[in-house]
Amino acid sequence: MQIIESQKIYDVIIVGSGAGGGMATKVLADAGLKVAVMEAGPFFDPANPEQRTQLKWPYESPRRGAGTQRDFGEFDAAYGGWNIEGEPYNNIGDTKFDWFRSRMLGGRTNHWGRISLRFGPNDFKAKDRDGLGDNWPIGYEDVKPYYDKVDKLIGVFGSNEKRYNDPDGFFLPAPKPRLHELYYIKGAKKSNVDVIPSRLSILTKRINNDRGVCFFCGQCNRSCSVYADFSSGSCLIFPAQKNGGQVDLFVNSMVSEVTIDEHGKANGVKYINKEDRQQYTLKSKIVVLAASACSSARILLNSKSEKHPNGLGNSSGLIGKYLHDSTGTDRAIFVPELMNRKRYNEDGVGGLHVYSPWWLDNKKLDFPRGYHIEVWGGLGMPGYGTGFNPNDLNKHLGLTVGGYGNGLREDVKKFYGSVLGMSGRGESIARKENYCEIDPTTVDEFGIPVLRFNYSWSDFERKQAKHMHQTFEEIGHNMGGIVLGDAPGKDKDYGLLNPGRIIHEVGTTRMGSDPKTSVVNEFERLHDVDNVFVVDAGPFVSQADKNPTWTILALAWRTSDFIIEELKKQNL
Amino acid sequence: MDRRESLKSMILGSMAVGLTLESCVTETAPEVIEDKIWKYTYGRTPKEAAFDEDLLLDQFFEDQELQIIKTLANLILPPNEQGTIEQAGVVEFIEFMAKDVPEFQVKIRGGLMWMNGYCNTHYQATFVNCTEVQQKELLDKMAFPDMEAEEQVQEVQFFSLMRNLVLTGYFTSEVGIKELDYKGNMPNVWDGVPQDVLEAHGMSYDAEWLAKCLDPDTIGDMAQWDNEGNLIS
């Protein structure tokens, strides 16, 4: 099989089209650079009627929305999931790392929760506070101007609350709380847990004439057909093209490695076209990796050469190390007062209208880092699973469970909208012992060596999860609810979900000033190779109790500005 | 053009650009495709569409098994003026799910046989040929879990699975959603919980909180901020 070479030389090849890749595309193409975007999945446009799932009813599908084909239900806009046919990964020992990949233009931004939280000043310097992990080489003041720009370019609703570690921004107005969220606020207030409007990248007001405004169907996970939510394709890549940018999209193109010249500098990528299954090379002056923390680590580790025997940029041996995900555990609450609710359209935006940012001081607790609480519930659209165990809640009311006949219709209607849930999402400590690496025993269907994972939680995370359940129980009782199920005990790691499950995996190409202890510098540039940058969550030194996307976007913009400046100075 | 017609034209329109479900299986009669496949119009990747097409054209349950499922479904949720098992397409849904979730196959097929075996022994007739009184006598043995037991016996587990599938099939159908009185899945402007609902639950919106919330009248206006991040439009 011959490798097919392209003669064209791009200024930049961007590998991946999610948040980081989309932002790099927008900024670099707007600056007039010739850009190639490599995406391992197909083209996707949520406005395309053939790909659209928004506003579909469950009965428009034979499986009524069940998650047998797509993990989050078949109307969810992620093409991929925890397991992708032909693209395996492995776990070492008793590791249970779950890796979610989305193969499509825009990647996981098409279905994510749009929770768009800035990291705060403490989050960049956590080691200063508890001595654990490492500080970032940059601080909030370095990133703030970019957070501001991201707020304005992409749009995020929320509220300025003057909370030191949950910084204010340029917010669109927030949607009013739903009824179950008012119950949550009631319970949280009694428990002295702060609650503020959520911060989601959904347009509750117009920000430009290219994107529509939210029409409140509550289906952001299906990717919005009027572009009212942030999805990387519709909000960054299409606008970059529309703006006259020189953007060539290579879809169904799976990058296997970064290629280098005789001096050890990157000069392009090697990729497999999934349609003809041929290998190609593409040339560029600069390579920007944005394939997701683990995928970018995999590409670098697979880019071995005489000059870079351990993989590209891996002289420190740290690529893949310090992998960490947010912690997570959930609990459901039955609120009898919410039985037999009056019906009205309560869809709202896709996701929570209120949340609790971390409200305590870890110095007074037995675990070092915080968590936030997300709330879910309401009169949502029925889907596969609606009506399951129709009257199990009767046991809390002293009534019969089970049976058959038309009483079941009344049971389902009675309990509809009476259960709400809380999800804790917290910060874990990045540790060298948690890592991904190339598994020499396995290749994917494109012949590319795959990753294997080694990951365990520590007592820091277990104690935090235990605290989450105590909080859920207290808030649940204080809102007049019945907490469902028992608190998971020590044998179940207090309910901690498997690492990877929160889909905030970060840290595999971590940032630092010392090339011995980090992979990229403060501008996300490989210490070893000055024309390769990583703009996904790989460079995160620590994943705060915030969702990573807003920080990925801000850093990708900052790095792109740096690339433009370096090019102007002819340093690249 | 009614909705069904417009959906059809959307699909026909899509043929012009070369992506069509028909490409997956070429031997199938057009009316079968029309009936079984084209009514499903939600965004699928070509691979997913091909998979679904295979499932839709395949049949797992035998006709007599489908007959038992239909009878059982109508006992679990008897028809009334709100809607019926048939209107909700529950039997077709269960047939599809048995192919989509292979673990269901033995459980359901075995459970149906077990019911027939029970009926043959006790009533000298198959389940569908029993009287409704006899059928319900059997259901009474299957429909109520033992709340003290750690694990339910097979027939209770089987019945629970069927009840789940029947109810979810019903309440995700057009008639079921109407009966549940779900009001959403359409463009609107969220302006908070209706006042009468707030009052019924003893709730109210905090004025300070409301000041941070969107005003439906200005949602279409272009957002502008001052330098401090205060929205000024």
Side-chain angles (χ1 to χ4, degrees):
Chain A
M1 189 167 64
Q2 203 178 338
I3 294 173
I4 302 155
E5 291 182 22
S6 163
Q7 296 311 311
K8 185 171 177 180
I9 298 178
Y10 289 91
D11 292 317
V12 187
I13 292 173
I14 297 169
V15 183
S17 62
M23 182 57 87
T25 303
K26 170 86 175 116
V27 177
L28 297 174
D30 280 359
L33 302 185
K34 283 198 280 293
V35 176
V37 178
M38 314 301 294
E39 167 51 52
F43 183 80
F44 175 75
D45 180 355
N48 173 3
E50 282 192 31
Q51 295 182 310
R52 188 171 70 88
T53 55
Q54 191 183 28
L55 294 181
K56 297 290 180 187
W57 293 96
Y59 49 82
E60 290 180 78
S61 117
R63 61 174 67 76
R64 308 286 175 89
T68 47
Q69 291 296 299
R70 299 186 191 178
D71 289 305
F72 291 97
E74 68 174 341
F75 297 110
D76 187 84
Y79 297 171
W82 303 109
N83 294 294
I84 297 178
E85 204 184 329
E87 300 187 38
Y89 58 89
N90 296 322
N91 277 316
I92 298 170
D94 53 6
T95 293
K96 290 189 185 107
F97 192 87
D98 294 320
W99 188 22
F100 193 99
R101 292 162 291 173
S102 180
R103 299 287 193 221
M104 65 200 300
L105 189 75
R108 295 181 289 193
T109 65
N110 291 305
H111 90 132
W112 70 304
R114 271 71 178 189
I115 301 177
S116 303
L117 305 174
R118 297 176 181 215
F119 283 19
N122 295 343
D123 298 323
F124 290 97
K125 306 290 174 191
K127 188 181 184 182
D128 286 349
R129 297 166 60 80
D130 56 28
L132 298 166
D134 272 298
N135 289 333
W136 291 59
I138 54 176
Y140 178 69
E141 63 286 357
D142 297 304
V143 192
K144 180 189 184 297
Y146 288 95
Y147 280 133
D148 289 352
K149 294 207 286 186
V150 173
D151 285 358
K152 290 177 185 169
L153 176 74
I154 291 175
V156 49
F157 72 72
S159 57
N160 286 332
E161 301 284 339
K162 300 193 180 354
R163 298 173 64 88
Y164 177 72
N165 204 40
D166 306 288
D168 292 343
F170 291 81
F171 291 116
L172 302 168
K176 291 175 189 170
R178 303 175 178 96
L179 185 59
H180 70 275
E181 291 166 334
L182 290 172
Y183 274 88
Y184 174 79
I185 293 170
K186 180 179 149 187
K189 276 195 173 155
K190 256 191 188 171
S191 309
N192 292 316
V193 174
D194 298 348
V195 193
I196 63 172
S198 59
R199 297 172 173 182
L200 312 187
S201 44
I202 298 166
L203 301 188
T204 53
K205 215 170 173 65
R206 194 168 284 284
I207 59 161
N208 60 41
N209 289 320
D210 296 326
R211 292 175 55 196
V213 174
C214 181
F215 56 77
F216 304 96
C217 70
Q219 297 167 22
C220 296
N221 72 318
R222 302 185 184 193
S223 200
C224 186
S225 58
V226 305
Y227 306 162
D229 60 22
F230 169 63
S231 300
S232 176
S234 50
C235 303
L236 292 172
I237 293 175
F238 300 161
Q241 292 175 309
K242 211 175 154 188
N243 209 12
Q246 306 175 73
V247 181
D248 287 346
L249 287 182
F250 290 75
V251 295
N252 292 315
S253 298
M254 178 92 173
V255 170
S256 55
E257 59 187 277
V258 177
T259 56
I260 57 159
D261 64 16
E262 65 276 19
H263 307 293
K265 278 185 74 158
N267 62 3
V269 298
K270 203 180 275 182
Y271 71 95
I272 288 123
N273 178 330
K274 286 182 172 176
E275 278 154 26
D276 64 13
R277 299 184 63 82
Q278 300 292 310
Q279 280 191 340
Y280 293 79
T281 59
L282 206 59
K283 299 282 178 205
S284 67
K285 296 173 192 161
I286 298 165
V287 174
V288 172
L289 293 175
S292 83
C294 296
S295 284
S296 290
R298 178 185 175 200
I299 291 167
L300 289 168
L301 291 170
N302 275 328
S303 305
K304 283 185 186 164
S305 61
E306 257 176 52
K307 296 235 187 279
H308 305 284
N310 299 323
L312 195 66
N314 197 27
S315 63
S316 64
L318 292 179
I319 292 183
K321 305 283 199 297
Y322 297 102
L323 168 66
H324 58 298
D325 186 22
S326 295
T327 57
T329 187
D330 316 303
R331 201 74 176 273
I333 315 287
F334 166 46
V335 183
E337 284 178 40
L338 286 172
M339 287 192 300
N340 296 307
R341 295 177 58 173
K342 185 176 172 184
R343 310 297 203 246
Y344 53 93
N345 184 346
E346 201 184 37
D347 287 347
V349 304
L352 49 153
H353 292 185
V354 310
Y355 89 114
S356 291
W358 179 234
W359 67 101
L360 294 173
D361 180 356
N362 290 93
K363 290 198 173 100
K364 297 169 187 160
L365 297 162
D366 65 352
F367 56 97
R369 304 281 166 90
Y371 59 89
H372 73 255
I373 301 175
E374 302 170 8
V375 193
W376 37 273
L379 298 166
M381 179 157 42
Y384 182 84
T386 299
F388 275 19
N389 308 324
N391 53 22
D392 269 16
L393 293 169
N394 269 345
K395 69 181 171 214
H396 301 288
L397 306 170
L399 300 171
T400 307
V401 172
Y404 56 93
N406 276 332
L408 295 176
R409 292 179 192 255
E410 303 315 313
D411 286 332
V412 173
K413 289 185 270 188
K414 173 172 75 175
F415 291 120
Y416 174 51
S418 67
V419 173
L420 63 84
M422 295 175 230
S423 296
R425 299 290 181 256
E427 179 170 0
S428 62
I429 304 292
R431 288 186 292 136
K432 201 174 168 183
E433 305 79 58
N434 288 339
Y435 60 83
C436 60
E437 64 180 7
I438 298 300
D439 185 342
T441 69
T442 311
V443 295
D444 66 13
E445 66 163 300
F446 308 106
I448 308 168
V450 307
L451 289 178
R452 64 184 175 197
F453 294 89
N454 189 72
Y455 201 115
S456 62
W457 294 120
S458 75
D459 280 345
F460 294 142
E461 290 82 32
R462 291 187 193 101
K463 285 175 180 169
Q464 186 195 58
K466 188 179 176 193
H467 191 272
M468 288 181 193
H469 279 280
Q470 288 164 350
T471 307
F472 300 156
E473 291 181 350
E474 191 181 336
I475 294 175
H477 292 307
N478 282 339
M479 72 173 81
I482 296 163
V483 183
L484 299 177
D486 296 325
K490 198 177 172 197
D491 57 320
K492 291 181 180 149
D493 274 355
Y494 301 104
L496 264 181
L497 296 168
N498 287 347
R501 274 280 145 181
I502 311 303
I503 322 184
H504 294 168
E505 71 284 357
V506 309
T508 48
T509 52
R510 73 170 188 164
M511 181 190 286
S513 337
D514 182 351
K516 289 195 190 66
T517 56
S518 60
V519 177
V520 299
N521 73 7
E522 61 171 278
F523 289 104
E524 302 185 306
R525 180 190 222 169
L526 288 185
H527 288 302
D528 298 352
V529 189
D530 68 4
N531 64 342
V532 178
F533 297 81
V534 186
V535 300
D536 49 38
F540 281 36
V541 178
S542 56
Q543 159 55 15
D545 56 66
K546 321 279 170 69
N547 304 50
T549 306
W550 226 238
T551 302
I552 294 174
L553 289 164
L555 292 177
W557 195 332
R558 184 171 178 269
T559 294
S560 300
D561 275 359
F562 175 78
I563 291 172
I564 293 163
E565 286 306 308
E566 289 291 285
L567 282 170
K568 275 188 198 155
K569 293 184 210 155
Q570 300 194 312
N571 287 346
L572 263 170
Chain B
M1 204 187 307
D2 73 12
R3 198 174 144 280
R4 200 178 156 75
E5 282 300 309
S6 76
L7 286 173
K8 205 189 283 179
S9 83
M10 199 163 78
I11 288 250
L12 286 170
S14 76
M15 287 174 68
V17 295
L19 277 169
T20 160
L21 292 169
E22 205 177 2
S23 63
C24 310
V25 175
T26 48
E27 299 298 309
T28 312
E31 61 273 13
V32 175
I33 292 193
E34 159 73 33
D35 197 41
K36 290 203 162 186
I37 297 164
W38 279 13
K39 65 176 176 176
Y40 300 114
T41 58
Y42 60 110
R44 300 280 80 193
T45 66
K47 199 174 171 184
E48 289 169 333
F51 179 81
D52 285 4
E53 188 174 339
D54 279 350
L55 294 196
L56 287 162
L57 294 174
D58 188 22
Q59 187 174 339
F60 174 72
F61 289 117
E62 291 168 23
D63 289 343
Q64 53 172 356
E65 290 173 318
L66 291 172
Q67 195 57 45
I68 312 176
I69 292 171
K70 185 180 167 184
T71 306
L72 182 60
N74 273 285
L75 288 166
I76 290 172
L77 215 64
N80 72 7
E81 65 286 354
Q82 299 266 14
T84 66
I85 291 299
E86 286 70 28
Q87 286 168 332
V90 168
V91 177
E92 298 90 318
F93 165 68
I94 293 174
E95 159 69 20
F96 184 89
M97 291 315 294
K99 290 171 292 199
D100 201 32
V101 185
E103 305 88 90
F104 286 166
Q105 293 178 357
V106 172
K107 284 183 186 161
I108 297 178
R109 176 164 275 164
L112 298 174
M113 277 295 277
W114 184 92
M115 289 203 318
N116 265 347
Y118 183 94
C119 291
N120 276 323
T121 304
H122 291 84
Y123 312 120
Q124 293 74 50
T126 58
F127 180 70
V128 295
N129 290 322
C130 284
T131 66
E132 195 175 315
V133 172
Q134 292 168 328
Q135 289 168 340
K136 287 184 170 174
E137 208 173 84
L138 169 57
L139 259 54
D140 286 337
K141 294 187 184 301
M142 309 168 75
F144 299 94
D146 176 353
M147 301 306 280
E148 308 302 317
E150 265 189 32
E151 197 177 12
Q152 303 299 327
V153 293
Q154 177 279 138
E155 59 268 33
V156 173
Q157 284 189 36
F158 161 72
F159 189 84
S160 176
L161 172 62
M162 294 307 286
R163 183 172 47 211
N164 282 351
L165 291 173
V166 167
L167 285 176
T168 208
Y170 182 79
F171 282 104
T172 52
S173 73
E174 203 164 355
V175 287
I177 289 172
K178 192 159 175 254
E179 177 171 356
L180 193 60
D181 207 15
Y182 165 68
K183 301 277 198 191
N185 199 29
M186 61 183 70
N188 72 105
V189 178
W190 168 253
D191 193 26
V193 180
Q195 190 57 36
D196 62 322
V197 177
L198 286 175
E199 282 165 17
H201 288 267
M203 294 285 182
S204 61
Y205 283 117
D206 178 64
E208 202 184 329
W209 193 301
L210 277 189
K212 300 165 185 169
C213 293
L214 67 91
D215 171 1
D217 293 336
T218 64
I219 189 165
D221 296 353
M222 201 70 78
Q224 286 180 319
W225 298 268
D226 66 15
N227 290 335
E228 309 297 304
N230 300 304
L231 199 62
I232 52 174
S233 67

